[in-house]
């Protein structure tokens, strides 16, 4: 079944060249959309995608949904909010105004998301596009609550998840964007995600955000479940917990990317390198979390440090080879950094944050603060289990003034 994301619209038409789409914009809102149009290379959207091959289809998908009949006003609100914060993140002269415009429009979009009901296919697509847009906004601002927004959207579409499997891969990519956002938060908070992706649901697929890694999220869900069980039981490691952890370990040990047969024909060498590196880093990170569920920091550190070094080495190789960061590797880089105890090595980890974490200045700030918080606790002699890490997330509030200082 084809989705509206398949319909062809010329890349330079639609959103920006059709003022009738946004007749109600004020001067600043139209200015932000026009600036987005004028930025050709690099596009603010490139950093979200696993490769530039997805750039045009990604733009076209959002434009096409804005042209559909139905609740497009909330999509317009989300689009303007995203445009504002993306430009504000790139150019400091727009920061203050972009936040004001973005928050005003994002509030309307969130209200629309909460009232949205899914009664037909286009409603489902609208919910996903809206969720991705609002999460993008949320990851660029202080206290944007991307976890809650992704959870809300996924709870809305969960009853019709099976319908999504019959739709175009691009629609599932948007779902996976929300799944990955929620899952990464659930991993570090030891909570359970909303949707478990079936082991075979994403085989042979190249996801625009997750490359060849989306099928791994079935086992990341299981890892979240194990972490949550340990958290609510106070860290008790009984026979059931050990069995769960070993089952997850076995699944992670057997998992490997399942690329389509025409991968090297469809994508550049640099894109393929990035996809394979992303898959390896995410799998190694899952193994590191699994290790830390079994052993607190300060115990069995040698094995954990080996995994940490493997993660950072793979990220470094990919950066040098492709010349860009790998999407969805901020959490792996952060948890690899938790293992570091030497001051000089920690400083090197911090120095590379801006190269590895390029989603937003706010994301960079959050990584810095979380690393600092966990390092301080370890240096202070605290015994930290993996399921305690969520407490440090809640102890690292962000401020826009601090985010400004990361540029």
């Amino acid at each position: 079944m084809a989705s509206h994301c398949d319909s062809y619209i010329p890349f330079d038409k639609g959103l920006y060249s059709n003022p009738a789409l946004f007749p109600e914009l004020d001067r600043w809102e139209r200015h932000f959309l026009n600036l987005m149009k004028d930025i050709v290379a690099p596009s603010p959207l490139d950093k979200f995608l696993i490769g530039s091959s997805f750039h045009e289809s990604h733009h076209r998908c959002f434009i096409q949904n804005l042209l559909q009949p139905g609740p497009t006003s909330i999509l317009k609100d989300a689009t303007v909010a995203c445009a504002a914060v993306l430009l504000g993140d790139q150019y400091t002269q727009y920061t203050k105004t972009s936040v004001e415009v973005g928050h005003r429009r994002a509030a309307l979009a969130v209200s629309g998301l909460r009232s949205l009901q899914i009664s037909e296919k286009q409603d489902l697509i609208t919910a996903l596009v809206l969720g991705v847009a609002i999460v993008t906004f949320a990851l660029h601002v202080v206290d944007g609550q991307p976890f809650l927004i992704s959870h809300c959207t996924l709870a809305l579409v969960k009853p019709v998840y099976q319908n999504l499997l019959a739709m175009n891969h691009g629609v599932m990519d948007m779902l996976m964007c929300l799944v990955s956002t929620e899952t990464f938060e659930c991993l570090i908070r030891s909570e359970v995600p909303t949707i478990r992706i079936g082991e075979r649901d994403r085989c042979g697929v190249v996801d625009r955000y997750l490359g060849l890694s989306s099928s791994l999220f079935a086992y990341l869900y299981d890892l979240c479940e194990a972490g949550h069980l340990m958290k609510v039981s106070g860290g008790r490691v009984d026979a059931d917990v050990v069995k769960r952890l070993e089952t997850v370990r076995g699944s992670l040990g057997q998992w490997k990317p399942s690329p389509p047969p025409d991968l090297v024909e469809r994508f550049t060498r640099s894109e393929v390198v990035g996809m394979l590196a992303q898959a390896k880093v995410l799998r190694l990170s899952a193994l590191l979390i699994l290790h830390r569920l079994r052993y607190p920091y300060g115990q069995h550190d040698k094995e954990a440090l080996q995994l940490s070094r493997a993660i950072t080495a793979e990220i470094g190789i990919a950066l040098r080879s492709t010349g860009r960061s790998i999407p969805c590797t901020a959490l792996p880089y952060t948890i690899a950094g938790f293992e570091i105890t030497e001051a000089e090595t920690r400083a090197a980890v911090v120095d590379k944050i801006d190269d590895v974490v390029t989603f937003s200045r706010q994301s960079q700030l959050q990584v810095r603060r979380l690393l600092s918080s966990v390092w301080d606790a370890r240096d202070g002699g605290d015994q930290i289990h993996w399921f305690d890490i969520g407490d440090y997330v809640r102890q690292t509030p962000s401020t826009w003034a601090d985010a400004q200082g990361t540029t």
Side-chain angles (χ1 to χ4, degrees):
M1 183 186 300
S3 81
H4 290 295
C5 293
D6 290 324
S7 303
Y8 180 75
I9 292 180
F11 184 52
D12 59 348
K13 303 295 182 185
L15 181 57
Y16 310 113
S17 59
N18 190 345
L21 275 176
F22 295 92
E24 75 287 0
L25 296 190
D26 66 23
R27 179 176 64 89
W28 272 111
E29 291 171 336
R30 189 167 296 283
H31 183 58
F32 285 130
L33 282 180
N34 286 334
L35 281 176
M36 285 287 287
K37 169 191 172 184
D38 293 337
I39 293 178
V40 178
S43 165
L45 296 179
D46 284 347
K47 60 187 176 182
F48 310 145
L49 305 174
I50 192 64
S52 58
S53 295
F54 287 106
H55 181 92
E56 184 173 344
S57 63
H58 191 62
H59 270 280
R60 192 183 303 133
C61 182
F62 276 88
I63 295 169
Q64 184 63 50
N65 280 282
L66 285 168
L67 295 173
Q68 295 299 317
T72 56
S73 61
I74 52 176
L75 288 178
K76 293 175 185 178
D77 290 328
T79 300
V80 174
C82 279
V85 294
L86 285 170
L87 268 298
D89 209 53
Q90 281 200 330
Y91 302 105
T92 56
Q93 67 265 36
Y94 296 122
T95 297
K96 184 176 184 295
T97 306
S98 76
V99 171
E100 293 171 354
V101 170
H103 275 290
R104 182 170 67 246
R105 287 289 182 167
L108 294 171
V110 170
S111 177
L113 177 64
R114 287 173 174 165
S115 62
L116 189 64
Q117 295 183 340
I118 297 178
S119 58
E120 57 184 43
K121 184 181 74 171
Q122 183 56 42
D123 297 332
L124 178 56
I125 297 171
T126 296
L128 292 173
V129 174
L130 185 59
V132 170
I134 302 174
V135 162
T136 300
F137 168 84
L139 287 166
H140 283 77
V141 299
V142 180
D143 298 328
Q145 304 295 330
F147 177 57
L148 294 179
I149 293 165
S150 56
H151 174 74
C152 175
T153 311
L154 291 170
L156 183 65
V157 303
K158 183 178 180 179
V160 290
Y161 171 71
Q162 291 301 318
N163 295 355
L164 282 166
L165 297 177
M167 297 173 73
N168 174 264
H169 289 319
V171 178
M172 276 297 292
D173 288 356
M174 288 187 286
L175 177 85
M176 290 306 304
C177 175
L178 298 169
V179 166
S180 62
T181 300
E182 185 193 40
T183 299
F184 291 150
E185 287 281 353
C186 284
L187 283 169
I188 210 161
R189 295 168 184 258
S190 295
E191 299 290 347
V192 181
T194 304
I195 294 176
R196 186 183 190 275
I197 303 300
E199 293 91 336
R200 308 298 300 173
D201 289 352
R202 298 289 284 167
C203 290
V205 171
V206 180
D207 186 288
R208 70 182 66 186
Y209 308 105
L210 295 165
L212 303 171
S213 304
S214 52
S215 62
L216 180 64
F217 278 75
Y219 307 121
L220 296 184
Y221 180 100
D222 298 341
L223 187 58
C224 288
E225 270 196 330
H228 182 68
L229 179 64
M230 293 189 69
K231 183 175 76 169
V232 298
S233 67
R236 187 176 68 252
V237 182
D238 56 21
D240 181 50
V241 169
V242 171
K243 183 178 179 180
R244 277 177 175 263
L245 295 179
E246 288 306 312
T247 299
V248 176
R249 184 187 302 279
S251 298
L252 292 173
Q254 294 177 8
W255 182 85
K256 60 182 180 180
S258 56
D262 59 348
L263 180 72
V264 295
E265 286 78 27
R266 288 171 53 196
F267 299 96
T268 66
R269 178 187 176 278
S270 179
E271 288 174 323
V272 173
V273 168
M275 292 176 198
L276 294 175
Q278 184 189 56
K280 184 175 181 179
V281 165
L282 288 173
R283 178 179 167 275
L284 288 170
S285 302
L287 289 171
L288 179 53
I289 293 172
L290 188 69
H291 180 81
R292 281 305 178 204
L293 280 172
R294 189 73 183 271
Y295 306 106
Y297 290 91
Q299 295 182 18
H300 293 265
D301 287 354
K302 182 179 179 181
E303 299 94 321
L305 195 56
Q306 288 175 341
L307 288 167
S308 169
R309 288 170 176 164
I311 291 167
T312 53
E314 189 66 29
I315 290 174
I317 292 169
L319 277 171
R320 291 190 295 273
S321 178
T322 66
R324 58 159 294 183
S325 63
I326 309 170
C328 302
T329 54
L331 178 62
Y333 189 74
T334 305
I335 64 173
F338 290 163
E339 301 296 335
I340 307 303
T341 56
E342 301 85 4
E344 186 175 340
T345 310
R346 285 177 175 178
V349 168
V350 171
D351 286 344
K352 287 185 65 177
I353 288 174
D354 288 0
D355 295 327
V356 176
V357 183
T358 58
F359 195 91
S360 67
R361 286 180 286 166
Q362 198 62 41
S363 299
Q364 293 167 350
L365 175 63
Q366 187 67 7
V367 170
R368 281 185 170 85
R369 289 193 157 189
L370 188 52
L371 284 171
S372 178
S373 181
V374 172
W375 285 340
D376 286 348
R378 292 197 66 183
D379 293 346
D382 292 0
Q383 185 178 62
I384 306 172
H385 295 80
W386 177 259
F387 50 82
D388 297 322
I389 294 294
D391 295 335
Y392 296 94
V393 175
R394 288 183 281 274
Q395 293 170 14
T396 54
S398 301
T399 65
W400 186 256
D402 285 338
Q404 287 283 86
T406 67
T407 57

